[in-house]
Amino acid sequence: MKFYCLNCNGLRSATSKGLLESIQKENPDIIAFQEIKALQADIDLKPWEDLGYIPHFFSAEKKGYSGTAIFSRIKPKKVEIGMQHELYDKEGRNILLAFKNFAFVNTYFPSGTTGDIRQEIKMQFLEDFLIKKESWEKEYKKLILCGDVNICHTEIDIHNPKSNQKTSGFLPEEREWVSKYLSTGLIDTFRFLHPGKTDRYSWWSYRAGARQKNKGWRIDYFFITNNLKSKLIYSDILQDVILSDHAPLVLEMDL
């Protein structure tokens, strides 16, 4: 099975930049989008349906903000929308699809770059997400979790670690959370398959030609539970595919 993940920074915007062409080329079974910035009614779904995808949307209440979606060619046994938390669910941050042998989780983690209040919300979300992940694992056993985590884990995941020590997304407490998250029995699929690979990023600022200079951050991830490790085939970042300020991720599993 093949999976595709992208913070599209507006699903309509990414579609206008060639998203459907990228999907046709990669031919994934399941697609996860973050920051869709749209309601389901705003999207022309016919091209997706023609490709065999069933859409599952969780839009934010605030127009043009946040939101997640999963497009799947496989009908899930169960769809779980949200985290049963008023604020996070108002922002449309999480969708889970349960299949016969695994559950697939798509999450758009909050950013803390706009100030202290949002950073506090981000840190609380991280702790709440750990609890949620534990409950999902008890119910579904095998998990594939993906999305925009808005955190670089290690120094090789960011172009300039020294100057970003006090920047949201690379704070010590955020990086420590990723280590804690992995210690609960998860694998960062890209880093597992490419342990020493540098200059591989998934997000670039729109400022100062950051993408052209490859001054980026790896903040988007595919994680799997350890019990799926033997099923992992391929995980990569499509850095040359320019659909938003993020690059798509692809994952292949023998499921």
Side-chain angles (χ1 to χ4, degrees):
M1 289 185 69
K2 192 170 191 179
F3 304 87
Y4 185 105
C5 174
L6 173 68
N7 178 320
C8 51
N9 198 0
L11 185 52
R12 288 167 293 186
S13 173
T15 301
S16 73
K17 295 172 183 175
L19 174 60
L20 282 162
E21 290 80 357
S22 177
I23 295 300
Q24 287 175 299
K25 181 180 178 181
E26 295 300 326
N27 197 30
D29 298 285
I30 298 175
I31 307 163
F33 293 127
Q34 304 88 46
E35 209 170 355
I36 58 172
K37 297 183 175 180
L39 301 173
Q40 183 165 339
D42 297 331
I43 304 299
D44 179 7
L45 292 174
K46 189 176 186 307
W48 298 97
E49 291 166 352
D50 289 346
L51 292 173
Y53 292 106
I54 304 162
H56 304 273
F57 276 73
F58 189 29
S59 301
E61 288 185 5
K62 182 180 176 181
K63 193 173 180 180
Y65 176 72
S66 190
T68 48
I70 300 177
F71 288 50
S72 175
R73 282 179 169 155
I74 307 156
K75 187 177 180 180
K77 292 172 63 180
K78 180 181 176 184
V79 179
E80 191 175 317
I81 300 291
M83 293 173 63
Q84 292 73 57
H85 183 287
E86 184 179 5
L87 175 59
Y88 310 153
D89 293 351
K90 279 184 177 180
E91 298 181 351
R93 294 206 171 266
N94 196 84
I95 304 176
L96 179 149
L97 300 190
F99 300 94
K100 182 180 178 182
N101 298 321
F102 67 96
F104 182 81
V105 182
N106 174 27
T107 311
Y108 178 36
F109 286 63
S111 168
T113 56
T114 56
D116 291 344
I117 292 172
R118 289 304 298 184
Q119 184 64 32
E120 287 174 15
I121 290 170
K122 179 180 184 178
M123 297 308 296
Q124 186 60 54
F125 182 94
L126 295 177
E127 291 310 308
D128 292 341
F129 193 80
L130 277 177
I131 297 166
K132 201 68 183 170
K133 178 261 180 187
E134 185 178 329
S135 69
W136 290 329
E137 196 166 8
K138 282 179 181 176
E139 183 170 357
Y140 303 111
K141 312 304 180 192
K142 297 176 180 179
L143 302 176
I144 298 172
L145 307 107
C146 73
D148 176 1
V149 178
N150 268 312
I151 303 170
C152 290
H153 184 208
T154 70
E155 291 195 350
I156 62 171
D157 296 316
I158 188 169
H159 73 95
N160 193 341
K162 289 185 179 178
S163 67
N164 283 293
Q165 298 287 338
K166 296 182 180 180
T167 304
S168 178
F170 197 61
L171 297 173
E173 57 269 31
E174 295 173 326
R175 296 170 61 198
E176 185 180 332
W177 179 87
V178 179
S179 295
K180 182 179 178 182
Y181 185 50
L182 291 170
S183 75
T184 67
L186 292 176
I187 293 167
D188 171 355
T189 60
F190 176 82
R191 191 53 70 205
F192 180 78
L193 293 176
H194 311 283
K197 190 169 277 190
T198 59
D199 302 322
R200 299 287 286 163
Y201 308 123
S202 66
W203 174 81
W204 301 261
S205 169
Y206 281 128
R207 292 175 293 182
R211 192 159 194 165
Q212 291 80 1
K213 298 170 186 174
N214 199 27
K215 293 185 175 182
W217 299 45
R218 190 173 74 93
I219 59 174
D220 303 87
Y221 298 84
F222 269 113
F223 300 103
I224 59 173
T225 44
N226 277 325
N227 52 17
L228 289 173
K229 182 165 69 172
S230 65
K231 306 296 185 182
L232 177 58
I233 299 170
Y234 176 81
S235 182
D236 208 353
I237 305 167
L238 305 180
Q239 288 195 179
D240 296 331
V241 179
I242 302 175
L243 303 168
S244 77
D245 50 346
H246 293 251
L249 312 182
V250 289
L251 172 73
E252 287 188 45
M253 304 283 294
D254 179 11
L255 296 168

